[in-house]
Amino acid sequence: MIREVECTKRDKGYAIIFDAMASPCEVLIDSPEQWLASLIGEQVAGEAWRIEDKYSRYQTTSVCGQLNANAGKKCPIDSETFHLLQFADQCYQLSDGLFDITSGVLRKAWHFDCSDNIPSQQQIDRLLPFVGWQQLEFDENHLQMQQGMEIDFGGIGKEYAVDKAILLANQVIAQHAKNSVPVLVNFGGDLAVNGPRDKEQAWHVGVEHPSLAAHSTMVVTIKQGAIATSGDAKRFLLKDGRRYSHVLNVKTGWPVENPPKSITVAAPKCIQAGLLATLALLQGKNATKFLKTQDITHWQIS
């Protein structure tokens, strides 16, 4: 795959466009200096591709791919992987076991391609013994999971990459710019900013909220922090009038019932926003009640 970065002029600055993690990505930079915008864009794109190559479950040579291929063995890990596993553990604990990065193995039964191909209970039952964060052991240097298990960082990887991109952009600005430079990083709808635009103006961002009937875009404003969206509008199954969400209950192996089609959450960090949006979806029909108890800014499409 050819990886390219495109830099285009826009109002008050430049836009950097590239593809990563199966998503269109953009970096908006409010600066008249094209060389600075290009430098920030190249650094951010490089970081996104680094994280994709390291943690994609689709790449057999990635860290994730190698850990899955060597399930049953004690495998060495680096500090970055250890910290991601620590965050995954927090997700598991906060969700009472519903957010589990070992649940990806259920994809062998579920293929959310908008068809009516519903797996049998027997297919699911054969996979459930290989789901269970509590069966995984890790420390700062090693990880070991049972043979047949898999981990998947897909639920947190893109949001993690957004936060890393903002940090990297700020480092480049600190090293090369005389003044602050407003930046927005948007990886497939999960986004963060490094602060407000000129004169404390907010960024206006279009967030896609696809529904079954039509695609629509909602404009939200943001001065600080991050926004992440979780939804099932593009990945589901439909049979006999019943819609099966791609959000799975890892305890039963079946889709969560009646979740909202889309939830967008604002938080200081993108990885926090993504976690809260996903936790809300996992509550199914109780998503609204969950969001209200969290006292967070959110937008929901039911």
Side-chain angles (χ1 to χ4, degrees):
M1 181 182 68
I2 299 175
R3 287 173 164 174
E4 295 179 336
V5 176
E6 179 183 350
C7 179
T8 60
K9 188 79 173 66
R10 49 177 281 277
D11 183 37
K12 296 184 179 180
Y14 290 88
I16 305 297
I17 308 295
F18 59 95
D19 291 323
M21 294 173 278
S23 298
C25 302
E26 67 174 358
V27 185
L28 305 182
I29 302 147
D30 280 359
S31 169
E33 306 289 350
Q34 183 173 2
W35 67 268
L36 179 62
S38 295
L39 181 60
I40 293 171
E42 290 170 1
Q43 294 285 319
V44 168
E47 180 68 357
W49 292 329
R50 182 192 71 83
I51 292 172
E52 180 179 22
D53 289 342
K54 186 170 183 178
Y55 293 111
S56 170
R57 60 182 165 83
Y58 299 106
Q59 297 185 27
T60 57
T61 57
S62 73
V63 167
C64 185
Q66 286 297 301
L67 290 172
N68 290 337
N70 290 285
K73 302 177 183 176
K74 192 173 185 178
C75 300
I77 58 173
D78 63 11
S79 61
E80 184 178 33
T81 304
F82 171 66
H83 290 304
L84 276 177
L85 291 170
Q86 281 188 309
F87 184 75
D89 183 60
Q90 294 174 15
C91 296
Y92 179 81
Q93 302 299 338
L94 288 171
S95 67
D96 193 26
L98 291 178
F99 192 113
D100 188 335
I101 69 168
T102 69
S103 63
V105 71
L106 292 170
R107 294 188 311 274
K108 294 179 180 179
W110 291 97
H111 305 283
F112 294 98
D113 52 5
C114 306
S115 70
D116 62 352
N117 185 21
I118 309 299
S120 67
Q121 185 64 53
Q122 291 76 14
Q123 288 176 286
I124 295 170
D125 287 344
R126 282 197 293 269
L127 295 171
L128 282 177
F130 302 108
V131 178
W133 175 258
Q134 71 279 5
Q135 302 179 58
L136 184 146
E137 298 179 0
F138 71 97
D139 58 26
E140 292 183 345
N141 300 309
H142 296 92
L143 175 143
Q144 184 168 12
M145 52 187 166
Q146 293 187 16
Q147 191 169 12
M149 291 183 69
E150 296 180 4
I151 57 173
D152 180 1
F153 292 101
I156 56 179
K158 192 165 60 176
E159 295 88 342
Y160 170 69
V162 169
D163 289 336
K164 292 283 287 184
I166 285 291
L167 286 175
L168 199 54
N170 285 337
Q171 290 176 6
V172 173
I173 292 166
Q175 292 173 1
H176 298 280
K178 294 180 180 178
N179 301 307
S180 62
V181 177
V183 173
L184 179 147
V185 172
N186 181 359
F187 290 177
D190 294 328
L191 59 94
V193 301
N194 68 345
R197 306 181 77 182
D198 187 34
K199 298 179 182 178
E200 292 298 309
Q201 292 182 330
W203 296 87
H204 296 267
V205 185
V207 177
E208 183 180 284
H209 278 287
S211 68
L212 289 175
H215 290 252
S216 61
T217 299
M218 176 180 64
V219 177
V220 301
T221 61
I222 178 172
K223 284 187 175 181
Q224 296 281 353
I227 290 173
T229 299
S230 290
D232 73 343
K234 294 180 179 178
R235 296 173 59 202
F236 61 90
L237 298 176
L238 186 65
K239 185 172 185 179
D240 299 331
R242 180 180 176 184
R243 192 168 185 275
Y244 295 82
S245 165
H246 83 275
V247 182
L248 297 175
N249 182 326
V250 299
K251 298 179 181 180
T252 66
W254 285 84
V256 172
E257 294 190 4
N258 303 315
K261 294 187 179 69
S262 178
I263 292 175
T264 298
V265 171
K269 299 291 185 184
C270 196
I271 200 167
Q272 296 168 333
L275 169 61
L276 288 166
T278 301
L279 289 184
L281 277 182
L282 288 168
Q283 307 305 313
K285 62 182 181 181
N286 296 318
T288 301
K289 181 179 179 181
F290 169 82
L291 288 166
K292 288 181 178 178
T293 63
Q294 300 303 306
D295 191 25
I296 53 175
T297 301
H298 66 275
W299 301 263
Q300 176 178 326
I301 301 294
S302 299

